[in-house]
Amino acid sequence: MNEHTPSPGSVRRVACIGAGVIGGGWVAHFLARGYRVTAWDPAPEFEAKLRRLVDAAWPALTELGLAEGASRDNLVIASTLAEAVADAEFVQESAPEDLALKRDLLARIDAATPPGVVISSSTSGYGMTEMQVDCPTPQRLVVGHPFNPPYLIPLVEVVGGERTEPWAVRWASEFFEVAGKSVITMDREVPGFIANRLQEAIWREALHMVANGEATVEQIDASITEGPGLRWPLLGPCLTFHLAGGDGGMAHMLDHFGPSLKSPWTRLEAPELTTELRDAMVQGCERAADGRSIAELVADRDRAVIAVMRAVDEVRKGAK
Amino acid sequence: MNEHTPSPGSVRRVACIGAGVIGGGWVAHFLARGYRVTAWDPAPEFEAKLRRLVDAAWPALTELGLAEGASRDNLVIASTLAEAVADAEFVQESAPEDLALKRDLLARIDAATPPGVVISSSTSGYGMTEMQVDCPTPQRLVVGHPFNPPYLIPLVEVVGGERTEPWAVRWASEFFEVAGKSVITMDREVPGFIANRLQEAIWREALHMVANGEATVEQIDASITEGPGLRWPLLGPCLTFHLAGGDGGMAHMLDHFGPSLKSPWTRLEAPELTTELRDAMVQGCERAADGRSIAELVADRDRAVIAVMRAVDEVRKGAK
């Protein structure tokens, strides 16, 4: 952090390095939030593809509500990496998942970006510690992991590496919030962060089921879209099970169904359900419920499931 | 199947054995679909609790649209199991998850239910093979596994046991469809069926993360509700990753990200990504996409995510 570090709320100029599905999604998001966005990608023909992606996203972003001054005209195509980051107040890197490539690219971005400006990587799996090794000023590099499409899904997971200074993590979290994202700030590096560990668990189990002929792709998808998937936009997996416990909530759930953790219900080995873990889950649910009774949570869930089913129905009816 | 077996579409009288959260949810569902429902539970005070549950669900069911003739007055409280099933045309059992109890209860239900009438168990984990051992006429017993709350979540997983005859599985699947559910008919018994294997994988990974201090309950829930949870009501995990592959779809996804299956992204060991598995996933996605291009799927997904976010926002605003 130095005199060049803007306050997160004053940032106007963002650079996006890498303009594929994720990088292009970031470009669309930042444009819709009213930023001037400078984009660069090593692919020679990237501009046409990027503009198509932004054009395809724009109706949805307009429907959601553009920020004041937001315009696709605020997209600047840079012809070099150095040009893209020259006057950036924030940089988002979205290169392919390849550690050697990310190491080299982040070092080059770091060397060319004005000092004090935070640089964030979209990596979905690497830790910043292993990516920042060749950076001249690694203290300002963070992971800012988005979800596809970055112009719609709010979640960004923010975490630093061993050589990242705490101010950079705080700054990035604050900036992403200002820029309209929902931020989870992690205090340690975990491979895959949080959401990917969870969705990868589903994904691997699904692959096992297909590999063993236990379910088809269509059955797997329907088992989510017609079932638990309808609850997850409102209540995450923990609060969902908090409600499955009836009036006793998570405590009853764990005390009653704890033993079935040992059943072969997935290929994932269950953790030991220690008293500490039990209590952490129960207390976490109580905090998350924030004073709402099980009955209130059930009423909210029911209203959300109906609203979600209707919303999805409308889309299905209108689908080609 | 005999002369007492009604056609699935002609059923008017349903018996629900067990009237807790799941059994009571079935009662509410069948009442809303216009059936006469006879309920029995061994708990002496079950009637008051069951009526409270039905009353709590009724506004949501009314909002969704009741079937012609649907009324809470069509609920009949039975004082014995035999009375409850005496003239039933379909029986749904929803007792606690306890194998000995289910074995005994299903044998008693089987003995008291008119011949040729299908009996379904709500079990979330046992196979019918292990539950039907003491039944005099096991050929008509199936699993019909619902999701909480059964009066809203459409999914029912139907599967028979070794001694179940195929007609009973077909009959139950057809009946549940007529009764307004989304049915997945499985051709073999898998512990936990399909959806529970998938959601248990998420749940176990979540427990591991909390146990290791890697994430809090709130972070885990937010990582789903603000992230992948917004995609799952429209697109299941397979089609979601089909879109993550860009224009190349699932084939590109597997060929590009296949190696990261070996990364420690969950505690769940990955299956070998054989050519057979790869092709099964790709072909499954092509079938599921049903001629829709990636661009069309992306457009549908975006509209659904927006609609789902808005729906959930409204509920959050109205929440206590």
Side-chain angles (χ1 to χ4, degrees), chain B residues 100-128:
Chain B
L101 186 159
K102 292 248 191 209
R103 268 187 192 156
D104 175 64
L105 181 62
L106 287 172
R108 287 162 56 211
I109 292 172
D110 190 18
T113 300
V117 166
V118 170
I119 299 164
S120 162
S121 172
S122 296
T123 182
S124 53
Y126 297 120
M128 185 43 78

Side-chain angles (χ1 to χ4, degrees), chain A residues 60 63-64 97 124-125 147-149 151-155 157 182 184-186 188 190-215 217-239 241 243-244 250 253-254 257 260-261 263-271 277 280-281 284-285 287-288 292 296 298 300-312 315-316 318-320, chain B residues 60 63-64 97 124-125 147-149 151-155 157 182 184-186 188 190-215 217-239 241 243-244 250 253-254 257 260-261 263-271 277 280-281 284-285 287-288 292 296 298 300-312 315-316 318-320:
Chain A
E63 164 84 5
L64 273 178
E97 287 295 292
S124 53
F147 285 76
N148 195 33
Y151 56 85
L152 284 185
I153 304 288
L155 185 62
E157 295 170 317
S182 291
I184 294 182
T185 309
M186 299 179 66
R188 71 174 80 175
V190 176
F193 319 117
I194 299 175
N196 269 349
R197 290 195 86 104
L198 301 173
Q199 70 168 350
E200 273 282 319
I202 275 204
W203 173 235
R204 290 182 187 193
E205 188 66 28
L207 288 174
H208 278 293
M209 296 200 80
V210 173
N212 293 346
E214 294 164 339
V217 166
E218 296 95 316
Q219 287 178 322
I220 286 165
D221 275 3
S223 82
I224 297 298
T225 59
E226 303 295 307
L230 294 168
R231 305 184 291 214
W232 282 326
L234 182 75
L235 301 175
C238 300
L239 273 190
F241 282 127
L243 268 61
M250 178 60 73
M253 230 302 280
L254 290 173
F257 291 107
S260 79
L261 272 177
S263 304
W265 273 14
T266 95
R267 282 76 182 177
L268 203 157
E269 206 178 315
L277 177 54
M281 296 306 298
C285 282
R287 284 195 309 272
R292 287 170 294 171
E296 286 166 337
V298 165
D300 289 349
R301 177 201 61 194
D302 285 4
R303 288 197 298 133
V305 168
I306 290 175
V308 166
M309 286 196 299
R310 284 194 172 151
V312 171
V315 171
R316 286 202 178 116
K320 300 257 167 73
Chain B
E63 164 83 5
L64 272 179
E97 287 295 291
S124 53
F147 285 75
N148 196 33
Y151 56 85
L152 284 186
I153 304 287
L155 185 62
E157 295 169 318
S182 292
I184 294 182
T185 309
M186 299 179 67
R188 70 174 82 174
V190 176
F193 318 117
I194 299 174
N196 269 349
R197 290 196 87 103
L198 301 173
Q199 70 169 352
E200 273 283 317
I202 275 204
W203 173 236
R204 290 181 188 195
E205 187 66 28
L207 288 174
H208 277 293
M209 296 200 80
V210 172
N212 293 347
E214 294 164 339
V217 167
E218 296 95 316
Q219 287 178 321
I220 285 166
D221 275 3
S223 82
I224 297 298
T225 59
E226 304 295 307
L230 294 168
R231 304 183 292 213
W232 282 326
L234 182 74
L235 301 175
C238 300
L239 273 191
F241 282 128
L243 268 60
M250 178 59 73
M253 232 299 283
L254 290 172
F257 289 108
S260 79
L261 272 177
S263 304
W265 273 14
T266 95
R267 281 77 181 177
L268 203 157
E269 206 177 316
L277 176 53
M281 297 306 298
C285 282
R287 283 195 310 272
R292 286 170 294 172
E296 285 167 337
V298 164
D300 289 349
R301 177 201 60 195
D302 286 4
R303 288 196 298 134
V305 168
I306 290 175
V308 166
M309 285 196 298
R310 284 196 172 150
V312 170
V315 172
R316 284 201 180 116
K320 300 255 166 76

Side-chain angles (χ1 to χ4, degrees), chain A residues 6-225:
Chain A
S7 76
S10 72
V11 171
R12 303 307 337 139
R13 299 183 304 275
V14 167
C16 289
I17 304 300
V21 171
I22 297 299
W26 273 118
V27 168
H29 173 76
F30 285 125
L31 287 172
R33 302 320 309 148
Y35 295 93
R36 195 210 66 182
V37 181
T38 312
W40 178 78
D41 190 288
E45 303 294 321
F46 83 90
E47 179 177 353
K49 203 169 166 183
L50 173 58
R51 290 200 190 271
R52 272 202 304 278
L53 191 155
V54 172
D55 287 346
W58 208 251
L61 291 165
T62 306
E63 164 84 5
L64 273 178
L66 301 172
E68 206 184 313
S71 166
R72 282 172 283 183
D73 296 341
N74 293 331
L75 171 58
V76 178
I77 302 295
S79 52
T80 65
L81 187 161
E83 185 189 318
V85 302
D87 71 347
E89 295 168 301
F90 172 75
V91 181
Q92 183 75 29
E93 168 273 313
S94 309
E97 287 295 292
D98 175 319
L99 184 56
L101 186 160
K102 292 248 190 212
R103 269 189 192 153
D104 173 64
L105 181 63
L106 288 171
R108 287 160 57 210
I109 293 172
D110 189 18
T113 301
V117 166
V118 170
I119 299 164
S120 162
S121 172
S122 295
T123 183
S124 53
Y126 297 120
M128 185 43 78
T129 297
E130 53 187 346
M131 292 191 297
Q132 69 192 168
V133 288
D134 296 327
C135 289
T137 59
Q139 62 271 16
R140 56 160 162 182
L141 277 99
V142 302
V143 166
H145 174 234
F147 285 76
N148 195 33
Y151 56 85
L152 284 185
I153 304 288
L155 185 62
V156 178
E157 295 170 317
V158 177
V159 60
E162 280 171 21
R163 297 169 71 197
T164 305
E165 288 180 3
W167 70 264
V169 173
R170 280 198 307 273
W171 190 97
S173 295
E174 200 178 330
F175 169 70
F176 282 125
E177 289 277 4
V178 170
K181 309 302 286 183
S182 291
V183 178
I184 294 182
T185 309
M186 299 179 66
D187 58 12
R188 71 174 80 175
E189 291 182 290
V190 176
F193 319 117
I194 299 175
N196 269 349
R197 290 195 86 104
L198 301 173
Q199 70 168 350
E200 273 282 319
I202 275 204
W203 173 235
R204 290 182 187 193
E205 188 66 28
L207 288 174
H208 278 293
M209 296 200 80
V210 173
N212 293 346
E214 294 164 339
T216 65
V217 166
E218 296 95 316
Q219 287 178 322
I220 286 165
D221 275 3
S223 82
I224 297 298
T225 59

